[in-house]
Amino acid sequence: MEKLEFVEVSPRDGLQNEPNIVSTADKLALINHIIAARFRRLEAGSFVNPKKVPQMADGDAVFAGLPQRDDVTFIALALNLRGVERALAAGAKEINYVFCASDGFSVRNNGGTVEETFAVWPEVAAAAKAGGARLSAIVSTAFGCPFDGEVPVRRVVEVAERCVAQDIFELGLGDTIGVAAPSDVHERFRAVKAAIPAHVQLRAHFHNTRNTALANAVAAVEEGVRILDGSLGGIGGCPFAPGAAGNVPTEDLIYMFNRMGFDTGIDLDAAVEGAHFIGGVLGRTTPGMVSRAPKWPS
Ligand code: ZN
């Protein structure tokens, strides 16, 4: 069976937009649910401006409280050199660095134009290497921007090429606001794959704002992508992307790809338990479907 890897992003992308602060203890409990469901890579938190994203202000405490597991990779997200330095100081061994494909989003999310944010990229890569962390990059708004509108494919390819100018092991394309359709996914992953070195693995990050995320995930896998992000329960959003809804629900991805014959490595029942747990913490029904459906096969 062909393997797929799932990166669980609920502790970071899933929670970052929640207005009520989730306690560090609940974040760590969520992370334990994620590990129990046999995820082996997860976004544990981000190191960004706590005034802009108060929900992520306890990144240091979350990293300090992580279980000691050599077999689990805890990813820290950063948007600038200061964030990378804080992530390294917190003990992060993998850093996911964010670039944007559009200036409108880049200015609001990363505090500068795309051009400006790349100025520090060599320093970021050097800092990660010196700190003993492996480095990946994600191109957000790769399918559309809430401020600039449509993002040309060639623009995404250009940004991807600049990302791989430094030593990264993985490159993600993010549909930050959930506007992509499968045809976009085919086109963009194919174009980026052709433009970057073969050793850089591709990762896909979808939001389900317009209910296209599962279809988009299938399209990405058809293009050879083997690493997919998801968020238990389908929670998630972005403080700087108006109208963006949740990430694709991980347990819905797992159910679908299990049924399609892929080896996901995930315990679906435990993933559903994790979705119920975070729904309980947030005090609402989460948008994912599989966690609310009868177990199948029963
Ligand atoms: Zn996202």
Side-chain angles (χ1 to χ4, degrees), residues 29-204:
L30 171 61
I31 288 168
N32 282 326
H33 274 285
I34 292 165
I35 295 170
R38 299 205 291 264
F39 291 91
R40 289 299 171 258
R41 266 177 95 199
L42 61 104
E43 277 190 348
S46 63
F47 291 86
V48 296
N49 187 339
K51 289 196 184 74
K52 288 188 171 180
V53 191
Q55 187 66 257
M56 292 290 111
D58 62 345
D60 298 285
V62 169
F63 269 79
L66 290 172
Q68 300 292 318
R69 294 282 299 245
D70 292 340
D71 59 336
V72 180
T73 303
F74 301 102
I75 306 169
L77 184 125
L79 306 169
N80 53 36
L81 187 57
R82 170 98 185 100
V84 170
E85 287 165 352
R86 287 174 55 210
L88 292 170
K93 294 281 176 263
E94 182 175 325
I95 293 169
N96 188 25
Y97 197 85
V98 182
F99 287 105
C100 306
S102 57
D103 284 325
F105 189 70
S106 188
V107 166
R108 289 163 180 86
N109 193 69
N110 294 41
T113 63
V114 176
E115 186 66 36
E116 284 163 357
T117 59
F118 269 104
V120 74
W121 189 216
E123 266 182 275
V124 163
K129 194 168 192 177
R134 65 176 189 166
L135 182 64
S136 66
I138 179 150
V139 183
S140 59
T141 61
F143 298 85
C145 173
F147 307 103
D148 299 354
E150 298 282 358
V151 175
V153 177
R154 68 170 185 284
R155 172 72 164 169
V156 178
V157 171
E158 282 164 15
V159 173
E161 285 173 334
R162 296 186 74 173
C163 287
V164 299
Q166 298 302 325
D167 184 17
I168 58 173
F169 77 97
E170 181 182 82
L171 180 71
L173 296 187
D175 185 12
T176 311
I177 54 171
V179 290
S183 49
D184 301 306
V185 175
H186 282 291
E187 183 183 38
R188 280 157 204 252
F189 271 103
R190 196 173 297 172
V192 166
K193 195 177 181 181
I196 67 170
H199 72 267
V200 178
Q201 62 189 28
L202 287 167
R203 175 172 158 194

Side-chain angles (χ1 to χ4, degrees), residues 265-289:
I266 304 298
D267 178 338
L268 179 59
D269 292 341
V272 166
E273 277 178 39
H276 290 157
F277 170 78
I278 193 59
V281 168
L282 299 176
R284 63 169 189 266
T285 304
T286 51
M289 302 291 281

Side-chain angles (χ1 to χ4, degrees), residues 219-241:
V221 169
E222 285 171 353
E223 287 302 322
V225 175
R226 290 294 175 268
I227 302 140
L228 296 162
D229 288 2
S231 180
L232 288 175
I235 62 168
C238 175
F240 306 103

